Amino acid sequence: MPELPEVETVVRHIGPLVSGRSIEGFTAHWHKVTAPETAERFAAQVTGQRIETFVRRGKFILLQLEHGWVHIHLRMTGQLLVADNGQKSNAHIRASFDLSGMRSLLFKDTRKFGRIGYLNDLAILMDKLGPEPLESSFTPHQLANMLHGSRRQVKPLLLDQSFIAGLGNIYVDEALFRARIHPATAARAISTVKAHRLHRAIQEVLTESIRLKGTTFRSFRFGADQSGEFRQSLQIFGRMGEPCPNCGTKISKIRIAQRGTHFCGRCQRKIGAHNS
DNA sequence: TCGAATGTTGCGAA
DNA sequence: TTTCGCAACATTCG
């Protein structure tokens, strides 16, 4: 599903196609796509404005306008498509922006969880998000301090967008496996050495996935129905029962914080700091 | 046939 | 502060 690498892939693909164009109109094809705002009010706020930049923050796609910002969240099944006017329409289109130059930006979302909104001031959104894991300002030392300040289990903590922005179920499982940390470990019990290892694992797994244009596990697509290629590089996610690539032990799948969680019971021991 | 599982966020409640 | 369960949805799986 769209996590940081998938959203980054979408932004890199779509940005050049729409930046500099003007929004000439907006149509909601499903009444809640702009919730809690009404589609009419959203349309009034963005119509006539030029798209200055097209960027990502966490899992949000942000369109900087002349005045204010459009934010788009793909949630689970959202996709952005650019179509030339007159092109045949797709199923599950929930909203469309009419752009200058006879071109449209379409929001496709089978499960209807995705949302589009407008903000005058981006701070309202930014304040709810933790650090960007790939920014150089995000340091191993900082992550260690953050972990040591929490009593929560490490997996739900990493999924919390106010703790760190952009990670979802797939990359949390992958990063914890690569760092050899059990997903149910109390965050404050993670040694500084392991915290630094986790920092490296997070950056490596995200960077590598962006390079391969994300993970297509079920539905993620970008552009003209293209898939990401990182799925082949997944070491633990979706591999329950398969041998651990590190030690050969069967990969386990359990439920932590209501989320399917994959790990190796041998490589990722919950207690004890002796397994490196 | 049908209930369970899927996965992200936000909400209220414990 | 943190955890828990649910709701928002459609589709696929067993």
Side-chain angles (χ1 to χ4, degrees), chain A residues 100-223:
Chain A
S100 54
M102 302 292 285
R103 189 171 273 186
S104 301
L105 177 64
L106 309 176
F107 181 60
K108 174 180 175 177
D109 185 24
T110 49
R111 284 184 70 175
K112 300 178 177 174
F113 284 166
R115 290 293 183 272
I116 299 175
Y118 172 84
L119 283 173
N120 273 311
D121 183 2
L122 207 54
I124 293 162
L125 194 149
M126 303 295 263
D127 289 350
K128 290 191 280 191
L129 295 176
E132 280 292 321
L134 293 180
E135 296 251 312
S136 55
S137 57
F138 176 64
T139 63
H141 176 72
Q142 180 186 2
L143 179 62
N145 282 343
M146 287 162 60
L147 291 169
H148 293 159
S150 173
R151 298 173 175 275
R152 300 170 67 184
Q153 295 180 327
V154 64
K155 168 150 180 175
L157 189 60
L158 293 174
L159 288 172
D160 184 340
Q161 301 298 298
S162 67
F163 182 80
I164 184 169
L167 298 179
N169 213 28
I170 294 174
Y171 297 105
V172 167
D173 280 7
E174 289 297 313
L176 289 172
F177 171 72
R178 286 161 209 236
R180 307 279 185 259
I181 296 170
H182 190 289
T185 308
R188 60 166 37 184
I190 294 172
S191 69
T192 300
V193 168
K194 282 191 176 181
H196 290 191
R197 204 163 62 195
L198 178 59
H199 179 275
R200 174 191 290 239
I202 289 169
Q203 291 200 332
E204 284 182 352
V205 75
L206 295 178
T207 301
E208 184 67 2
S209 184
I210 290 171
R211 192 175 72 77
L212 294 174
K213 303 192 186 300
T215 302
T216 295
F217 195 79
R218 287 194 161 76
S219 60
F220 172 70
R221 294 284 189 288
F222 69 96

